Amino acid sequence: MIEETEFTPEEIEAARILFARPATFVMGAAKIEQLPDPDLPEIAFAGRSNVGKSSLINGLVGMHKLARASNEPGRTREVNFFDLDGKLRLVDLPGYGWAKASKTTVKKFQDLGRDYLRGRVTLKRVYLLIDSRHGLKSVDTEALDALDLAAVSYQIVLTKADKLKKGEGEKVQEATLKAISKRPAAFPVVALTSSEKGLGLPELRAEIMRTTGATLS
């Protein structure tokens, strides 16, 4: 049985209005000392390189080029911050699972991501993106372990659901939910999304709005 968070039509509409407001790139931080002041609630997006983080962020705010998508995996090597109308920040964490990056480079940016997770008091939740066509892989286990260790609430978001055949989405959701059921920091709902088709984005916006406590006023 797939667990789902229920939202009222009013919550869906409020979230739509919030995410239609101006969104801007704030900065990219390559060192923990460069992070902006923790003065707004934040939600972060993590996942393997090329899983669709940039596309999801762009889809949520209805902009094509806010977050830079690339055909070259591993381009996001900083912690990138985006401001949503002064209400909250969307944070794009460095991708993991790079095939071409050196071990030294990988460790540097993985450590930056871990430092952010451990020390960010305004971080409300991490959304860990998983390609719905492949499900959880061994390379994702390290990310799950790091999130559990940091005791940061996180939710799995399955991406690229438009590439699946009918009925496959629910099967992947069920398998993923079962895999994370005993992890202490995992939010017990698995979202199914498609940035290209807009599937699941209204509910994800509402989830973010509820989680951060952001308001329209």
Side-chain angles (χ1 to χ4, degrees):
M1 181 69 179
I2 300 171
E3 294 188 48
E4 295 183 357
T5 306
E6 292 188 2
F7 300 100
T8 66
E10 290 77 16
E11 285 182 294
I12 295 289
E13 177 62 10
R16 183 194 67 78
I17 293 171
L18 175 63
F19 277 83
R21 289 183 172 180
T24 56
F25 174 72
V26 178
M27 64 172 295
K31 299 178 181 178
I32 198 71
E33 298 82 10
Q34 298 173 342
L35 299 180
D37 292 337
D39 52 5
L40 286 175
E42 295 174 351
I43 53 103
F45 298 90
R48 293 185 65 184
S49 299
N50 219 25
V51 75
K53 286 192 287 104
S54 297
S55 296
L56 183 68
I57 293 171
N58 290 337
L60 287 170
V61 299
M63 298 172 64
H64 294 298
K65 296 181 180 179
L66 178 65
R68 295 182 181 180
S70 173
N71 291 325
E72 179 188 342
R75 281 289 297 275
T76 303
R77 299 188 181 185
E78 298 178 325
V79 177
N80 291 318
F81 291 83
F82 305 91
D83 177 275
L84 182 59
D85 196 37
K87 302 296 184 183
L88 61 94
R89 288 197 191 100
L90 312 179
V91 184
D92 187 3
L93 296 175
Y96 57 85
W98 305 340
K100 298 181 180 179
S102 70
K103 289 184 178 179
T104 302
T105 299
V106 170
K107 186 177 186 303
K108 176 182 178 182
F109 293 104
Q110 285 182 340
D111 286 348
L112 173 62
R114 288 193 185 95
D115 288 343
Y116 169 80
L117 293 175
R118 282 198 294 262
R120 200 65 173 173
V121 295
T122 49
L123 178 61
K124 301 302 182 182
R125 182 173 293 167
V126 174
Y127 291 92
L128 181 62
L129 276 56
I130 302 295
D131 191 323
S132 63
R133 298 170 296 179
H134 310 304
L136 286 168
K137 296 293 186 183
S138 57
V139 71
D140 300 310
T141 302
E142 188 175 346
L144 293 168
D145 291 343
L147 289 165
D148 284 329
L149 186 63
V152 175
S153 171
Y154 63 92
Q155 180 175 355
I156 302 293
V157 177
L158 299 172
T159 63
K160 307 182 182 182
D162 58 294
K163 310 295 184 184
L164 299 176
K165 294 179 181 177
K166 187 175 181 180
E168 287 184 345
E170 285 193 7
K171 292 180 181 178
V172 179
Q173 277 181 295
E174 289 176 350
T176 305
L177 188 60
K178 183 177 180 180
I180 63 169
S181 62
K182 295 183 179 179
R183 288 189 170 271
F187 186 69
V189 173
V190 174
L192 186 67
T193 68
S194 165
S195 300
E196 187 171 325
K197 303 296 185 181
L199 173 69
L201 298 191
E203 292 79 12
L204 186 55
R205 294 185 190 106
E207 184 74 65
I208 293 169
M209 190 172 185
R210 181 186 287 181
T211 300
T212 60
T215 63
L216 296 176
S217 59

